[in-house]
Amino acid sequence: MSCALPDAARESDFRFIAADRQQLRLPPVPAPLLPQQPGVHFLNPAGHLTTSQVQWQTVKKFLALARHFQLPLFLADTAALALLSQDSLRKHDHLVLEPHCSFLCTGRPITSFALHANLWKYDPAFLLAAQQKGFELLDLRGEDPRLASLDTLSGQEIPLHFLFRLHSYIIHVVFLYERSGNYLWHGALRLKAHMDHSFAPFRLLDYGRHAGAYDRQELILTVLDGLNVKVPRNISRFLIQQRNARFLECRYRDARNFLQLYPDDSSAAAVDFRRKVKTLLHLAARTLAELQVPFWLSSGTCLGWFRQCSVISYSRDVDIGIFITDFRSDIISAFRHAGLSLKHKFGKVEDSLEMSFLRDGVKLDIFFFYNDGDVVWNGGTQAKSGRKFKYIFPHFSLCWAELLELKVRVPCQTLDYVMANYGATWSIPIKTWDWKSSPSNVQENGAWPLGEWAELVQVY
């Protein structure tokens, strides 16, 4: 497939091509990211530009504009970044029989870049210059969630996504904003009714189906196909984050309605409890991150985030969940090193494991979850009797959210998760709660043999 352009366009845009069509040798690029022979771009024998060459020229023209207006961009295209992994790179080299656009021309009609929005002062002259260069623009905006709170439900609109179209190719610019939890966030891409729904192949976009959250990326400047491009230093880590980036915003409007019916406790004791919970949750997140153990908000802590965008002041503890497949034998020593004391340890790795730690009078309960066919479950143990309980949940995936200025995971299917635990009346506060009988999903699960209590029912 080839794509012919007008002679005037070829004369203005492709002067770098020698009259005799000799290959232009670009400077070599450093290993190990790139092959020793850089991409070279030339006219095919018929005098037309190939599809990949048109895409390369589109990217080149856009990057020149971005450099002129000092846009803090980095390459975020998943297909292009995947080619930069060492295994893919070696396989790719064997397939390259002649120099061409090897990395930026992925066979997809889209190239994605991310823009650090906090590092760039919005300049409408950039959009005008892009239009003058022939780019069509779809400018997608949305409310700034950083300005939303229980007091203010609507913030000003901010740019979320720019889609530039030239020669049927799309340059997708995703705006990344700094959030209070020290992470980067992008909004969902939502077309309004009056917008052109055929502007781009939206189903092929890497970003925008959902909002996303990312850790800050260390970037390096390299050369791809003869073009200066910034890329994440740890590409594999970035791609893993991209696959698991879905972010759920707090339900501020529903939370405010809830708090109007059930005003939050503003006593000194409640304020102090919320302060301690924030400290404990941040400490737990840091400790588990060092162990590379993912966790999510569970039980009452998850309910507090979902229902009122905060913690439930009368719950008196913090609840988190961990899949048993992520269990690490050094979890207890890591928490002790972080200044938490072990309060109890029930069960074993094979069955109903749970732990509880204490710091500054606030308890951290860690429930380990087990896959069992169509459901997942966590266990509970009554210390004085050895009775076992099981709490059944439908399968769920994990999303990012923010609580107490911390990026945390929650079940993506939060309503199903909460209803499994608290039933249809989850939105009504219940201050009297029996963990053995109140949950909607609790089942009796036998008892630990008395002879194994010393190992399986440990209270400190």
Side-chain angles (χ1 to χ4, degrees):
M1 176 181 177
S2 63
C3 180
L5 293 179
D7 290 340
R10 288 203 296 271
E11 184 175 279
S12 60
D13 290 340
F14 313 116
R15 292 173 183 166
F16 68 93
I17 302 173
D20 59 357
R21 284 185 269 172
Q22 292 296 313
Q23 296 179 0
L24 176 65
R25 296 293 179 183
L26 298 176
V29 294
L33 271 181
L34 305 175
Q36 293 303 308
Q37 294 182 353
V40 181
H41 315 279
F42 51 91
L43 293 176
N44 67 16
H48 301 308
L49 289 169
T50 65
T51 300
S52 65
Q53 291 161 357
V54 176
Q55 185 173 16
W56 182 86
Q57 281 293 337
T58 301
V59 174
K60 178 186 178 185
K61 185 179 288 190
F62 172 77
L63 288 176
L65 277 170
R67 185 167 58 251
H68 179 77
F69 287 93
Q70 298 183 323
L71 270 67
L73 292 174
F74 68 89
L75 183 67
D77 192 274
T78 58
L81 290 176
L83 291 174
L84 296 178
S85 68
Q86 290 302 304
D87 289 341
S88 296
L89 187 58
R90 283 193 289 269
K91 294 174 185 176
H92 192 70
D93 283 345
H94 292 305
L95 299 175
V96 176
L97 303 180
E98 61 182 15
H100 69 304
C101 183
S102 302
F103 297 97
L104 296 173
C105 303
T106 61
R108 302 170 70 244
I110 300 161
T111 306
S112 302
F113 292 89
L115 184 151
H116 282 280
N118 294 73
L119 303 179
W120 183 58
K121 184 178 180 180
Y122 179 79
D123 187 351
F126 165 67
L127 302 182
L128 179 61
Q131 183 181 10
Q132 292 172 343
K133 291 290 184 180
F135 285 98
E136 300 172 84
L137 170 67
L138 187 61
D139 181 350
L140 295 147
R141 296 167 179 260
E143 290 185 353
D144 188 345
R146 299 169 302 172
L147 300 179
S149 67
L150 295 178
D151 299 319
T152 305
L153 296 179
S154 59
Q156 66 183 30
E157 285 204 332
I158 53 174
L160 297 179
H161 300 265
F162 282 166
L163 294 177
F164 296 94
R165 184 171 67 185
L166 181 65
H167 305 317
S168 77
Y169 287 101
I170 299 294
I171 303 292
H172 183 190
V173 178
V174 184
F175 282 73
L176 293 177
Y177 291 90
E178 295 181 11
R179 296 288 293 261
S180 58
N182 196 33
Y183 62 95
L184 300 175
W185 168 92
H186 72 72
L189 190 157
R190 296 292 180 262
L191 294 176
K192 297 180 180 177
H194 68 276
M195 292 180 172
D196 182 0
H197 288 237
S198 64
F199 186 89
F202 292 101
R203 292 181 179 274
L204 299 181
L205 296 180
D206 287 334
Y207 303 88
R209 187 171 290 106
H210 308 287
Y214 294 81
D215 294 336
R216 297 175 184 275
Q217 301 296 318
E218 183 182 357
L219 304 176
I220 58 173
L221 181 64
T222 188
V223 179
L224 296 181
D225 302 327
L227 302 177
N228 292 331
V229 184
K230 284 186 177 181
V231 299
R233 177 177 290 277
N234 191 329
I235 291 173
S236 297
R237 184 167 177 264
F238 176 81
L239 290 174
I240 291 172
Q241 286 194 26
Q242 193 275 339
R243 290 194 293 271
N244 301 281
R246 185 179 176 185
F247 181 89
L248 299 182
E249 200 66 58
C250 175
R251 301 160 62 248
Y252 284 114
R253 196 174 303 277
D254 293 331
R256 189 166 77 167
N257 292 337
F258 171 83
L259 292 173
Q260 286 176 343
L261 289 173
Y262 309 101
D264 207 359
D265 186 353
S266 58
S267 67
V271 172
D272 185 57
F273 172 73
R274 284 191 284 270
R275 177 187 61 80
K276 290 178 179 179
V277 167
K278 179 177 179 179
T279 300
L280 180 58
L281 194 56
H282 279 247
L283 186 58
R286 186 162 60 249
T287 303
L288 291 172
E290 290 171 356
L291 296 175
Q292 296 185 328
V293 172
F295 74 93
W296 66 91
L297 304 183
S298 191
S299 303
T301 307
C302 182
L303 175 63
W305 171 81
F306 185 68
R307 188 174 67 185
Q308 56 214 67
C309 298
S310 185
V311 296
I312 300 173
S313 58
Y314 53 82
S315 65
R316 313 316 300 173
D317 57 18
V318 174
D319 303 307
I320 64 174
I322 296 174
F323 286 116
I324 196 62
T325 50
D326 292 315
F327 171 77
R328 288 273 303 266
S329 60
D330 51 352
I331 283 179
I332 292 177
S333 60
F335 274 107
R336 281 175 169 164
H337 183 72
L340 283 73
S341 59
L342 182 63
K343 182 175 175 62
H344 71 241
K345 175 178 174 289
F346 298 147
K348 53 187 175 180
V349 173
E350 297 78 16
D351 182 13
S352 303
L353 183 64
E354 62 172 302
M355 301 175 184
S356 182
F357 296 88
L358 193 65
R359 186 183 189 277
D360 204 11
V362 179
K363 192 156 57 80
L364 172 69
D365 290 327
I366 302 179
F367 302 106
F368 290 88
F369 280 64
Y370 299 77
N371 277 294
D372 187 6
D374 295 333
V375 299
V376 295
W377 62 274
N378 72 280
T381 295
Q382 185 179 34
K384 66 180 182 181
S385 67
R387 290 169 63 198
K388 297 168 60 182
F389 300 86
K390 180 183 286 190
Y391 303 85
I392 310 295
F393 294 85
H395 274 283
F396 56 89
S397 53
L398 295 177
C399 288
W400 290 109
E402 183 178 322
L403 177 65
L404 302 175
E405 297 184 332
L406 178 68
K407 180 168 73 94
V408 292
R409 292 179 179 89
V410 297
C412 299
Q413 300 79 14
T414 323
L415 179 59
D416 293 340
Y417 189 88
V418 166
M419 287 188 66
N421 221 175
Y422 297 98
T425 59
W426 61 269
S427 60
I428 300 174
I430 300 176
K431 295 188 178 182
T432 302
W433 183 262
D434 185 339
W435 61 270
K436 302 181 299 300
S437 59
S438 297
S440 303
N441 58 344
V442 66
Q443 296 179 3
E444 291 269 1
N445 193 30
W448 296 113
L450 186 61
E452 299 180 16
W453 279 26
E455 179 185 355
L456 304 180
V457 186
Q458 299 180 16
V459 180
Y460 300 90

